[in-house]
Amino acid sequence: MTLQAIDAFAASRACLSSPLAAMPIALTLVESGNAEVLRKRAAQILCDGLALDCSECLFVEGSGRWLGRDGDPVQFDCNDFSHPYAHVIRSGKALTLSVGDARTRLDHVGFQAQVMHLGAQKRLQVRPLRAKDGEQEWLGVLLMVGEGSTFSRLDADPGMAAFEAFLCTLWARLSREQGERHRSRALRDSLAKLNDGARRQALAEQLSEELLGQSTAMQALRRQVVRAAETNLSVLLQGETGTGKDRVARALHQLSARAKGPFMAINCAAIPESLLESELFGHAKGAFSGADHAQEGLISQADGGTLFLDEIGDMPLALQAKLLRVLESGRYRPLGASEERCADLRLVAATHQPLREHIRAQHFRADLYYRLGQFPLTLPPLAERRDDIAQLAQSFINDFCAREKRDDMGITPAALRLLQRREYPGNVRELKNLIDYACAMTPQGADIDAYVFPNEHVFSGEQENDGQTAPESQINSAGLSLPSDINDLRKTLRDVETAIIRQRLMHFGGNRAQAAASLGLPKRTLAHKCQLLELDTK
């Protein structure tokens, strides 16, 4: 941390609206050797400076699914709303309530153990902690317990905001440094013990950050990727288009003993047949018209690393024979060269085409197929891992917000239900494109809702109406669908209003208060309209 950053923190006022000087606080935090020490020091500073009953920083572990406590094996599932941390993680906003209310409303065993010794009249506040430097990643949450007057002062205190920002900046830096050291050390240790089941499981869990999904199919795939990475066998990735074969290929390389070597990739279907051989094998000067200088091919560039051949089913037969020789002997000859060269590489190939049928049609060499398929891996289509759609969608939303510099956004349950019911011939790639579109169509500060999805992108014209037939004038995801022969404007407007209210009530599970708020109406006004329009929401 630079002195300029410390000065900026110190200049933000005496931190926390207390007599404590900001400079000593900053130095105490900066001198923390790791993130765990930093968290403990920050909690102690808050306890002392604000006379709190207790204070604690909980951290988000690597997969983003769990919150942990330093020195305690108890973990808090970020999707489990039986504790307050899930509410804060999901909303991104601070939560304040009394200890008594927390005991009554929240029944998580680990959380109850945290607050059981505190007085019921005390107030607790949970605040979100996120790094603000670019990626805005989740770091954890801050728990504070004390008098209610303390927290009412903090809400508008710039000193507290400065303290949190400074803490998060230091925490993010230490976590990245510690994470890099940990990953490098873990990878070296794991590759030294090939038969260690616990090591393989740890690597498979590490892969969950790259190959997203907790479905049975994805867990099995990650275990297979770990196994394949331990060998030098050629890997053949098969699966439908858009299932993420390129990501699996990179994961294989990163987990292998060749991780420090180059990773070279080429799409065989994207390169004209006349140029593909030159791209792969390279050429000597004067090998053909226009070859004004010698050029190394991808096989040479991948020496010591991994060569990924995507869509290998489109490789010409003549080139297949040359590739087979490289795999069997490790030798190749650039176009127009007089001498052979050696290449030490690991080949990963991918295709969505049925290669066995191509072999029967004599469009693909059987000997190359068996040489490529020393370690076959089949990637599951999205239809077989629908439980992963929510996690994938949120990841794509986060990517979009970071890429487009948009405020963080979530996705409503209604929108998720639409996505989970959809068919995905384009698999994960199609889901990503759909989410990017939805993000672009969602206003700043709002979460993605079902209405932003065009019908043709979601259900081929169906709507999520819980089995009810929508009226002709109902609002759908693409906009208004009105009859062309309107002869009673008043009735048509009433039908449109009915459709909007019915859709919004369905979206909020019949909750009139939420539906009214979303439409900008008082609850009493909405209730009156429901009575006039004969909408039964009970």
Side-chain angles (χ1 to χ4, degrees):
M1 179 57 57
T2 65
L3 287 176
Q4 291 88 339
I6 297 175
D7 290 341
F9 173 65
S12 66
R13 305 176 45 194
C15 184
L16 310 180
S17 299
S18 76
L20 292 172
M23 185 64 75
I25 293 176
L27 292 175
T28 299
L29 296 178
V30 167
E31 290 171 354
S32 303
N34 56 56
E36 181 177 351
V37 172
L38 175 69
R39 290 190 290 268
K40 291 180 178 178
R41 288 182 175 181
Q44 191 61 51
I45 287 171
L46 290 170
C47 266
D48 296 342
L50 299 174
L52 300 175
D53 290 58
C54 72
S55 178
E56 184 176 358
C57 292
L58 287 78
F59 60 90
V60 176
E61 54 84 46
S63 70
R65 295 186 59 219
W66 302 92
L67 277 167
R69 302 176 64 198
D70 292 315
D72 190 333
V74 175
Q75 289 185 316
F76 297 87
D77 188 339
C78 293
N79 293 315
D80 180 2
F81 288 89
S82 64
H83 60 77
Y85 310 126
H87 294 269
V88 172
I89 288 287
R90 290 303 169 195
S91 68
K93 300 177 182 178
L95 174 67
T96 305
L97 68 164
S98 71
V99 172
D101 285 345
R103 289 175 178 167
T104 303
R105 294 162 48 190
L106 304 167
D107 58 2
H108 188 279
V109 175
F111 175 70
Q112 290 297 331
Q114 281 184 281
V115 300
M116 63 181 298
H117 64 284
L118 301 170
Q121 76 282 3
K122 296 289 186 178
R123 304 285 290 179
L124 65 83
Q125 186 174 85
V126 183
R127 302 171 72 98
L129 296 176
R130 304 186 71 173
K132 299 296 191 293
D133 53 346
E135 296 183 2
Q136 295 195 348
E137 70 217 291
W138 273 104
L139 299 171
V141 297
L142 171 63
L143 169 68
M144 298 185 293
V145 179
E147 300 294 337
S149 58
T150 300
F151 301 128
S152 61
R153 291 196 308 269
L154 285 184
D155 289 340
D157 189 349
M160 184 62 189
F163 180 86
E164 285 184 346
F166 193 67
L167 169 62
C168 290
T169 300
L170 288 174
W171 187 344
R173 188 201 67 180
L174 288 172
S175 295
R176 284 193 289 268
E177 292 176 355
Q178 186 176 352
E180 287 299 324
R181 291 195 298 269
H182 175 73
R183 282 191 290 272
S184 297
R185 183 170 61 252
L187 186 56
R188 288 195 303 269
D189 293 345
S190 64
L191 291 175
K193 302 175 182 178
L194 296 181
N195 296 318
D196 185 351
R199 173 196 58 81
R200 287 177 177 150
Q201 181 61 32
L203 287 175
E205 291 176 359
Q206 177 184 325
L207 273 181
S208 64
E209 299 179 14
E210 294 295 326
L211 306 179
L212 298 178
Q214 295 303 317
S215 62
T216 302
M218 285 305 295
Q219 292 183 39
L221 175 63
R222 288 195 290 265
R223 289 194 295 269
Q224 288 180 303
V225 169
V226 171
R227 289 276 188 168
E230 294 173 350
T231 74
N232 201 40
L233 299 175
S234 298
V235 177
L236 179 59
L237 305 176
Q238 299 180 90
E240 296 178 8
T241 182
T243 50
K245 293 184 282 292
D246 55 336
R247 296 182 72 91
V248 173
R250 289 187 179 276
L252 283 165
H253 172 72
Q254 291 165 0
L255 289 182
S256 74
R258 298 175 176 271
K260 293 184 179 179
F263 177 86
M264 307 304 298
I266 187 172
N267 187 319
C268 299
I271 307 294
E273 181 177 341
S274 58
L275 297 178
L276 184 57
E277 182 174 2
S278 175
E279 288 288 326
L280 283 175
F281 293 90
H283 62 258
K285 181 178 180 180
F288 51 83
S289 177
D292 300 327
H293 58 275
Q295 177 177 307
E296 283 192 345
L298 292 178
I299 290 175
S300 174
Q301 296 175 51
D303 189 33
T306 303
L307 176 61
F308 174 45
L309 300 180
D310 198 5
E311 299 298 350
I312 197 168
D314 292 296
M315 179 176 284
L317 277 169
L319 201 52
Q320 292 177 28
K322 294 184 178 183
L323 178 62
L324 178 63
R325 185 167 184 272
V326 176
L327 295 176
E328 291 180 339
S329 67
R331 304 183 69 83
Y332 70 100
R333 189 194 302 269
L335 287 173
S338 57
E339 296 181 354
E340 288 190 333
R341 299 182 183 179
C342 295
D344 173 27
L345 56 83
R346 199 263 187 88
L347 185 69
V348 178
T351 182
H352 72 281
Q353 300 185 15
L355 290 186
R356 289 184 178 274
E357 294 181 13
H358 282 36
I359 291 171
R360 286 193 290 270
Q362 297 185 344
H363 295 155
F364 201 86
R365 294 179 62 103
D367 47 4
L368 178 59
Y369 171 76
Y370 294 117
R371 185 62 178 77
L372 290 172
Q374 290 178 326
F375 201 119
L377 287 176
T378 301
L379 278 66
L382 193 54
E384 295 180 6
R385 42 181 299 221
R386 291 187 180 274
D387 291 345
D388 296 333
I389 287 177
Q391 183 184 2
L392 289 167
Q394 189 60 58
S395 176
F396 295 148
I397 292 170
N398 295 342
D399 289 345
F400 179 91
C401 292
R403 187 173 66 248
E404 301 293 333
K405 296 180 172 53
R406 288 277 301 271
D407 292 340
D408 293 336
M409 68 177 74
I411 184 167
T412 66
L416 274 179
R417 288 195 296 272
L418 284 176
L419 294 179
Q420 288 168 340
R421 288 167 51 191
R422 186 187 193 280
E423 296 301 324
Y424 291 93
N427 293 288
V428 179
R429 183 185 295 119
E430 182 176 351
L431 173 63
K432 182 181 185 304
N433 292 341
L434 188 62
I435 291 296
D436 283 347
Y437 172 84
C439 288
M441 295 297 293
T442 299
Q444 285 277 10
D447 289 340
I448 293 175
D449 208 341
Y451 69 84
V452 302
F453 295 113
N455 276 348
E456 60 271 22
H457 285 181
V458 182
F459 283 125
S460 301
E462 286 186 30
Q463 295 190 57
E464 185 189 24
N465 56 18
D466 296 335
Q468 300 179 15
T469 301
E472 193 173 22
S473 60
Q474 181 164 341
I475 290 217
N476 57 33
S477 306
L480 283 171
S481 176
L482 298 173
S484 58
D485 55 342
I486 296 175
N487 51 27
D488 187 338
L489 180 60
R490 184 173 299 177
K491 180 180 182 300
T492 301
L493 291 175
R494 186 171 64 251
D495 289 342
V496 170
E497 186 176 27
T498 301
I500 293 173
I501 294 175
R502 178 182 287 116
Q503 179 203 50
R504 202 58 60 93
L505 286 169
M506 288 165 49
H507 171 65
F508 289 106
N511 188 310
R512 286 185 178 179
Q514 293 179 352
S518 72
L519 292 169
L521 296 174
K523 181 180 176 182
R524 185 174 300 176
T525 302
L526 180 64
H528 181 63
K529 286 181 177 293
C530 288
Q531 185 178 7
L532 291 177
L533 298 172
E534 298 181 354
L535 287 173
D536 183 12
T537 61
K538 295 181 180 179

